[in-house]
Amino acid sequence: MANSRSRPSPDLSSQLAVALAAHCTDGSRLLLGYSGGLDSTLLLHALAALRAEQGWQLECAHVHHALSPNADRWADFCAAQCRSLDLPFSLLRVEVSRTSPDGLECAARDARYAALHAHARERGLDTLLTAHHADDQAETLLHNMVRGAGLLGLAGMPAWRAAEGDRVATLRPLLGVPRSALEAHAQAHGLSWIDDESNADTRYARNYLRRDVLPVLTARWPRAAEAMAGVARRLAEAQTLLDGLAARDAEAIAEATQWGRCYRIDGLIALDAARQRNLLRWLLRQHGARTLPNESWLDEWRRQLAVAQATSACPVAHAGVAGVSHRGALWLMPDFDPPAEQRWSGEPVRAWGAGQIRFEPVSGQGLAASVVALGRVSLRARAPGDRLPRGPGRPRAGVKQIAQECGLPPWLRDRVPIVCVDGHPVWMPGCDIAPPFVAAADEAGWLPCWQPAV
């Protein structure tokens, strides 16, 4: 391949150096998500040329989606490119749901990013690099605009996203560069790349925008893609300001309880309509909503909360988040089915739905370690007819009565973890372990503690 090791042009090199220097220090460990296409191939060669002087440790990963008959050939091409540049290469295979309600494109994207972030964590890498460019940003802006997206959608892809949860930081250093400039550079330096045949299928919305819409706009306004990328960047700044406002509004009306954080409804409805919508959108995002609702859905939710009585639940569910009002407070949580029964063998922390159950090592109280050692302990959700001892010397009671006594909100009762010994329930929040399973004086024990969300 001619000139495959050529250094990037001074302009492109300086743009990359500036974009990376803003977030990556000397010695940063970087992972490039390498598809083998034009943009990621150019970024691959540019990073390979810059890594020594910048002190970066660079690795590459290609995601094999198994959706194209050419997928194996693409993986071989990417491996060969990385080998020629003496770069570590990993092939990540994923399964993409063809029946996802969000569509094949979205399902493939979700699977790809999940695999890349998981690989970066496993390898101890700091930042995931992708090669999205200004035309990609323009497509995102147009696509979200015609779908009626709000400000967050119109802000497009962020150039930088800090690490959060199970995701490492993400950087898109080419986001301000038009595809035409990338293609001109690649051709001038004799680079080779692959073309995904699915990109020609205009049944997919983004392909239609890329092939049929953007060329018309660019013919009339040559810098249209760059201009739209700039619009998205300014909208992202506006969204950041709104997020800050929402965070302050949330803090002002938040209340901490042993079951998690809730928000006073009287404080919410005291805000003007725009701030109410902004806060509710922000809260849905904070609790993991996959998408955001439209304005009419939000306004109906606002109306229900405004007229809710103290005993009204006003339950809602949207994109994986459930909301309910209770005693004048709004509660939000991931919407999940209770987990299946699972054996517990003494681990200090066990995931349970959106939260976790912790077992604190204690002495003379809690579940006896001798019981745990026999492998007789399991965790499960509430079952019909469950009655539990509430503690030494106290009579058994049903889940509803125990929940009422300890203030457990009604919607958590079917999600609460119940500790069982030989299939018999012996603990739930609001209970103490009772004989014969409680640790004897000076005997090691485990004290359960449930966190509904983490």
Side-chain angles (χ1 to χ4, degrees):
M1 181 164 43
N3 297 318
S4 63
R5 295 177 184 267
S6 296
R7 187 176 181 81
S9 65
D11 285 346
L12 185 55
S13 177
S14 60
Q15 282 182 279
L16 275 172
V18 168
L20 287 157
H23 302 287
C24 303
T25 59
D26 289 350
S28 289
R29 294 168 56 85
L30 311 176
L31 175 67
L32 172 63
Y34 182 37
S35 69
L38 163 67
D39 40 5
S40 64
T41 294
L42 187 145
L43 184 56
L44 170 75
H45 285 264
L47 291 169
L50 293 170
R51 59 178 165 160
E53 65 187 64
Q54 299 294 335
W56 301 322
Q57 183 172 337
L58 178 64
E59 299 186 19
C60 304
H62 174 80
V63 178
H64 189 305
H65 300 85
L67 295 175
S68 168
N70 296 310
D72 290 337
R73 182 173 62 83
W74 297 341
D76 293 341
F77 172 87
C78 292
Q81 288 278 298
C82 292
R83 196 162 47 245
S84 73
L85 296 169
D86 194 26
L87 288 172
F89 173 80
S90 297
L91 178 62
L92 311 178
R93 296 181 181 272
V94 299
E95 291 187 12
V96 180
S97 171
R98 295 177 181 269
T99 59
S100 168
D102 298 321
L104 187 63
E105 283 182 298
C106 184
R109 182 173 61 251
D110 290 346
R112 177 167 62 253
Y113 277 109
L116 288 169
H117 283 285
H119 181 71
R121 293 196 313 275
E122 290 169 5
R123 296 285 299 161
L125 304 175
D126 307 316
T127 304
L128 171 65
L129 300 175
T130 69
H132 293 100
H133 46 72
D135 292 54
D136 293 323
Q137 187 74 299
E139 290 168 17
T140 302
L141 175 64
L142 288 171
H143 188 215
N144 288 339
M145 185 183 298
V146 297
R147 295 168 63 198
L151 189 59
L152 183 65
L154 297 180
M157 299 174 286
W160 167 258
R161 176 171 286 163
E164 182 180 8
D166 59 357
R167 291 179 168 247
V168 302
T170 303
L171 179 61
R172 299 178 174 91
L174 298 177
L175 204 55
V177 183
R179 189 183 191 280
S180 58
L182 300 180
E183 187 167 10
H185 170 86
Q187 291 176 344
H189 290 78
L191 301 183
S192 300
W193 60 89
I194 58 177
D195 288 312
D196 183 344
E197 74 279 353
S198 69
N199 289 335
D201 188 347
T202 55
R203 290 176 300 174
Y204 297 115
R206 294 186 68 99
N207 289 348
Y208 172 74
L209 291 169
R210 182 182 308 125
R211 298 180 68 87
D212 293 353
V213 176
L214 272 176
V216 175
L217 294 175
T218 303
R220 179 63 178 85
W221 296 282
R223 296 177 63 85
E226 293 166 271
M228 283 187 278
V231 168
R233 185 174 59 253
R234 291 185 288 276
L235 290 174
E237 291 177 352
Q239 182 62 56
T240 299
L241 295 175
L242 289 175
D243 286 347
L245 176 61
R248 290 192 296 274
D249 285 342
E251 191 63 32
I253 64 172
E255 290 185 345
T257 77
Q258 68 181 113
W259 311 116
R261 176 178 264 206
C262 60
Y263 304 90
R264 296 192 313 275
I265 293 176
D266 59 353
L268 171 67
I269 62 178
L271 301 172
D272 64 55
R275 284 175 70 173
Q276 288 180 35
R277 284 190 288 266
N278 184 54
L279 176 54
L280 291 173
R281 289 190 191 100
W282 184 83
L283 288 172
L284 287 169
R285 286 165 49 209
Q286 296 304 302
H287 287 82
R290 297 185 302 273
T291 62
L292 292 180
N294 58 36
E295 195 166 309
S296 62
W297 191 95
L298 277 175
D299 284 343
E300 175 57 23
W301 190 18
R302 289 175 47 240
R303 187 195 66 77
Q304 291 182 23
L305 292 173
V307 300
Q309 303 297 317
T311 56
S312 301
C314 296
V316 298
H318 177 79
V321 177
V324 65
S325 62
H326 179 64
R327 297 180 180 175
L330 172 64
W331 296 73
L332 292 161
M333 72 212 81
D335 190 12
F336 65 92
D337 292 327
E341 185 170 4
Q342 50 192 269
R343 184 71 60 184
W344 180 68
S345 303
E347 304 91 340
V349 180
R350 176 66 68 88
W352 184 264
Q356 61 185 16
I357 179 169
R358 304 180 65 86
F359 293 86
E360 302 290 342
V362 292
S363 179
Q365 59 178 317
L367 185 64
S370 57
V371 174
V372 179
L374 294 175
R376 301 162 56 189
V377 183
S378 62
L379 306 175
R380 64 165 172 80
R382 174 186 187 180
D386 275 345
R387 295 183 66 80
L388 294 88
R390 288 175 287 178
R394 301 185 65 191
R396 292 176 176 270
V399 171
K400 180 178 180 180
Q401 181 179 343
I402 296 171
Q404 290 174 334
E405 290 177 355
C406 70
L408 181 68
W411 62 91
L412 290 179
R413 294 172 190 172
D414 290 333
R415 294 177 166 89
V416 70
I418 293 180
V419 176
C420 298
V421 176
D422 295 333
H424 301 292
V426 300
W427 178 89
M428 66 168 279
C431 294
D432 293 322
I433 302 292
F437 307 113
V438 68
D442 299 327
E443 181 185 5
W446 294 96
L447 197 62
C449 178
W450 179 45
Q451 294 176 281
V454 295

